[in-house]
Amino acid sequence: MHLHSACPALDDRIARLRQLAQADARLEGVLLHGSWTLGEADAHSDIEAYLYIQEDHLADVDGPAFLEQLAPLKLAYTNMYGILAVVFDDLMRGEFHLTAAGPGIDEVPTWQGMVHLPRPDDAILLDRTGRLTHAARQLAEFRPPRPVGTAQQLIDELANWTLMLAHVLARGETARAHALSHTVIAPQQLQLCRLLRDSTAHWLTPSRALEQDLPAADRDRYTATTAAARPHDVRTAACNSWRWSQDLAAEAADRWTINLPHELHEQISSLLNDSLTDPGWGHRTFRQPQPGSPPALQNAH
């Protein structure tokens, strides 16, 4: 009996994909991933799949033409990650990896720790040789990230990217600082927070189900790191963000053996605090600090 979701339209499309794949001899296997395989799909979910094509037919498969058999397409293109992205006529999205079967199926076990398939046999829509089933079953056990090494990596990343944020703010690039905060720093903060809360099921997309997965206090700290793209608002959010990063780092250091670069953390704090108190902060550059002294700023002109 196959898995069913809260979205009958998605279930029907997956059933149709299974039929099409079985009828196309060029395909060796088809593997679903994403929310449907986790039992979390709803009316807003998309369909994500790997189509494993026999090597001698890889150039023969017209991806959009194949997917047009599922439903009429409003859009089909290769996205920035090299994945065939489509929009069906009912506005359901789809992402399809058209991959050579040999190396593609061999890669599946390397996803351990990143991809979880709690019911791998349901995620497999086609397997002509048994290779895909063997590979996918290795993802059945959920493997959370290793705490100590992962925490250390995230703490170091947050220090590095927040220092870059301070440089960008000092240059007066508010829009760039806004984007850096939300697209680079925030996801790493949420991953570190999830690691500390033992809530890593949505590791690759740490903002997913945030409202259900994390305590209200953490959600409030995250909210304080967001801002409209206005200079003072972005500077305030940057300071709040760094305070949260430091608090998370300190909590991790209390739990695990973590190396915290305390002097660097203090220097970053000083720079970001100056961004709120110095009206001439924008369009400045950092002056090389003297040994034993905190960093300072000087006019760029």
PDB file of all heavy atoms in Angstrom, residues 263-275:
ATOM      1  N   GLU A 263      38.103  37.055  21.690  1.00  0.00           N
ATOM      2  CA  GLU A 263      38.572  38.390  21.297  1.00  0.00           C
ATOM      3  C   GLU A 263      37.900  38.835  20.004  1.00  0.00           C
ATOM      4  O   GLU A 263      37.443  39.985  19.892  1.00  0.00           O
ATOM      5  CB  GLU A 263      40.091  38.395  21.128  1.00  0.00           C
ATOM      6  CG  GLU A 263      40.636  39.784  20.767  1.00  0.00           C
ATOM      7  CD  GLU A 263      42.156  39.793  20.625  1.00  0.00           C
ATOM      8  OE1 GLU A 263      42.777  38.724  20.790  1.00  0.00           O
ATOM      9  OE2 GLU A 263      42.699  40.874  20.354  1.00  0.00           O
ATOM     10  N   LEU A 264      37.831  37.933  19.023  1.00  0.00           N
ATOM     11  CA  LEU A 264      37.171  38.275  17.770  1.00  0.00           C
ATOM     12  C   LEU A 264      35.704  38.600  18.005  1.00  0.00           C
ATOM     13  O   LEU A 264      35.162  39.562  17.441  1.00  0.00           O
ATOM     14  CB  LEU A 264      37.306  37.117  16.775  1.00  0.00           C
ATOM     15  CG  LEU A 264      36.554  37.272  15.449  1.00  0.00           C
ATOM     16  CD1 LEU A 264      37.046  38.502  14.689  1.00  0.00           C
ATOM     17  CD2 LEU A 264      36.702  36.015  14.602  1.00  0.00           C
ATOM     18  N   HIS A 265      35.036  37.812  18.841  1.00  0.00           N
ATOM     19  CA  HIS A 265      33.625  38.068  19.137  1.00  0.00           C
ATOM     20  C   HIS A 265      33.440  39.454  19.744  1.00  0.00           C
ATOM     21  O   HIS A 265      32.491  40.188  19.387  1.00  0.00           O
ATOM     22  CB  HIS A 265      33.092  37.005  20.086  1.00  0.00           C
ATOM     23  CG  HIS A 265      32.774  35.715  19.406  1.00  0.00           C
ATOM     24  ND1 HIS A 265      31.967  34.752  19.978  1.00  0.00           N
ATOM     25  CD2 HIS A 265      33.132  35.213  18.190  1.00  0.00           C
ATOM     26  CE1 HIS A 265      31.840  33.725  19.152  1.00  0.00           C
ATOM     27  NE2 HIS A 265      32.563  33.979  18.070  1.00  0.00           N
ATOM     28  N   GLU A 266      34.334  39.852  20.652  1.00  0.00           N
ATOM     29  CA  GLU A 266      34.233  41.167  21.273  1.00  0.00           C
ATOM     30  C   GLU A 266      34.464  42.273  20.247  1.00  0.00           C
ATOM     31  O   GLU A 266      33.792  43.322  20.285  1.00  0.00           O
ATOM     32  CB  GLU A 266      35.240  41.275  22.415  1.00  0.00           C
ATOM     33  CG  GLU A 266      34.909  40.381  23.606  1.00  0.00           C
ATOM     34  CD  GLU A 266      36.010  40.363  24.640  1.00  0.00           C
ATOM     35  OE1 GLU A 266      37.023  41.084  24.448  1.00  0.00           O
ATOM     36  OE2 GLU A 266      35.872  39.626  25.639  1.00  0.00           O
ATOM     37  N   GLN A 267      35.393  42.059  19.341  1.00  0.00           N
ATOM     38  CA  GLN A 267      35.660  43.066  18.312  1.00  0.00           C
ATOM     39  C   GLN A 267      34.460  43.234  17.381  1.00  0.00           C
ATOM     40  O   GLN A 267      34.110  44.355  17.000  1.00  0.00           O
ATOM     41  CB  GLN A 267      36.906  42.679  17.520  1.00  0.00           C
ATOM     42  CG  GLN A 267      38.184  42.786  18.327  1.00  0.00           C
ATOM     43  CD  GLN A 267      39.394  42.244  17.575  1.00  0.00           C
ATOM     44  OE1 GLN A 267      39.313  41.241  16.867  1.00  0.00           O
ATOM     45  NE2 GLN A 267      40.527  42.909  17.738  1.00  0.00           N
ATOM     46  N   ILE A 268      33.832  42.132  17.006  1.00  0.00           N
ATOM     47  CA  ILE A 268      32.641  42.217  16.167  1.00  0.00           C
ATOM     48  C   ILE A 268      31.540  42.963  16.901  1.00  0.00           C
ATOM     49  O   ILE A 268      30.848  43.813  16.327  1.00  0.00           O
ATOM     50  CB  ILE A 268      32.178  40.814  15.745  1.00  0.00           C
ATOM     51  CG1 ILE A 268      33.222  40.159  14.834  1.00  0.00           C
ATOM     52  CG2 ILE A 268      30.834  40.874  15.026  1.00  0.00           C
ATOM     53  CD1 ILE A 268      32.957  38.694  14.533  1.00  0.00           C
ATOM     54  N   SER A 269      31.367  42.682  18.181  1.00  0.00           N
ATOM     55  CA  SER A 269      30.352  43.379  18.984  1.00  0.00           C
ATOM     56  C   SER A 269      30.619  44.879  18.997  1.00  0.00           C
ATOM     57  O   SER A 269      29.691  45.696  18.851  1.00  0.00           O
ATOM     58  CB  SER A 269      30.354  42.854  20.419  1.00  0.00           C
ATOM     59  OG  SER A 269      29.984  41.502  20.470  1.00  0.00           O
ATOM     60  N   SER A 270      31.885  45.255  19.173  1.00  0.00           N
ATOM     61  CA  SER A 270      32.241  46.677  19.204  1.00  0.00           C
ATOM     62  C   SER A 270      31.915  47.359  17.887  1.00  0.00           C
ATOM     63  O   SER A 270      31.348  48.460  17.856  1.00  0.00           O
ATOM     64  CB  SER A 270      33.733  46.823  19.531  1.00  0.00           C
ATOM     65  OG  SER A 270      34.121  48.184  19.500  1.00  0.00           O
ATOM     66  N   LEU A 271      32.236  46.694  16.793  1.00  0.00           N
ATOM     67  CA  LEU A 271      31.962  47.278  15.480  1.00  0.00           C
ATOM     68  C   LEU A 271      30.466  47.472  15.255  1.00  0.00           C
ATOM     69  O   LEU A 271      30.018  48.525  14.781  1.00  0.00           O
ATOM     70  CB  LEU A 271      32.538  46.380  14.382  1.00  0.00           C
ATOM     71  CG  LEU A 271      34.060  46.278  14.301  1.00  0.00           C
ATOM     72  CD1 LEU A 271      34.465  45.213  13.297  1.00  0.00           C
ATOM     73  CD2 LEU A 271      34.670  47.616  13.925  1.00  0.00           C
ATOM     74  N   LEU A 272      29.677  46.463  15.597  1.00  0.00           N
ATOM     75  CA  LEU A 272      28.240  46.565  15.361  1.00  0.00           C
ATOM     76  C   LEU A 272      27.588  47.564  16.319  1.00  0.00           C
ATOM     77  O   LEU A 272      26.656  48.284  15.924  1.00  0.00           O
ATOM     78  CB  LEU A 272      27.594  45.190  15.505  1.00  0.00           C
ATOM     79  CG  LEU A 272      27.932  44.210  14.387  1.00  0.00           C
ATOM     80  CD1 LEU A 272      27.376  42.828  14.691  1.00  0.00           C
ATOM     81  CD2 LEU A 272      27.414  44.705  13.035  1.00  0.00           C
ATOM     82  N   ASN A 273      28.068  47.649  17.549  1.00  0.00           N
ATOM     83  CA  ASN A 273      27.538  48.651  18.468  1.00  0.00           C
ATOM     84  C   ASN A 273      27.821  50.059  17.966  1.00  0.00           C
ATOM     85  O   ASN A 273      26.991  50.960  18.095  1.00  0.00           O
ATOM     86  CB  ASN A 273      28.122  48.449  19.872  1.00  0.00           C
ATOM     87  CG  ASN A 273      27.572  47.209  20.549  1.00  0.00           C
ATOM     88  OD1 ASN A 273      26.474  46.757  20.237  1.00  0.00           O
ATOM     89  ND2 ASN A 273      28.336  46.655  21.474  1.00  0.00           N
ATOM     90  N   ASP A 274      29.011  50.243  17.388  1.00  0.00           N
ATOM     91  CA  ASP A 274      29.341  51.549  16.821  1.00  0.00           C
ATOM     92  C   ASP A 274      28.394  51.920  15.690  1.00  0.00           C
ATOM     93  O   ASP A 274      28.115  53.098  15.459  1.00  0.00           O
ATOM     94  CB  ASP A 274      30.781  51.552  16.292  1.00  0.00           C
ATOM     95  CG  ASP A 274      31.815  51.624  17.404  1.00  0.00           C
ATOM     96  OD1 ASP A 274      31.424  51.902  18.563  1.00  0.00           O
ATOM     97  OD2 ASP A 274      33.006  51.392  17.130  1.00  0.00           O
ATOM     98  N   SER A 275      27.893  50.927  14.987  1.00  0.00           N
ATOM     99  CA  SER A 275      27.006  51.224  13.858  1.00  0.00           C
ATOM    100  C   SER A 275      25.720  51.885  14.326  1.00  0.00           C
ATOM    101  O   SER A 275      25.061  52.594  13.548  1.00  0.00           O
ATOM    102  CB  SER A 275      26.679  49.937  13.094  1.00  0.00           C
ATOM    103  OG  SER A 275      25.721  49.139  13.779  1.00  0.00           O
TER     104      SER A 275
END
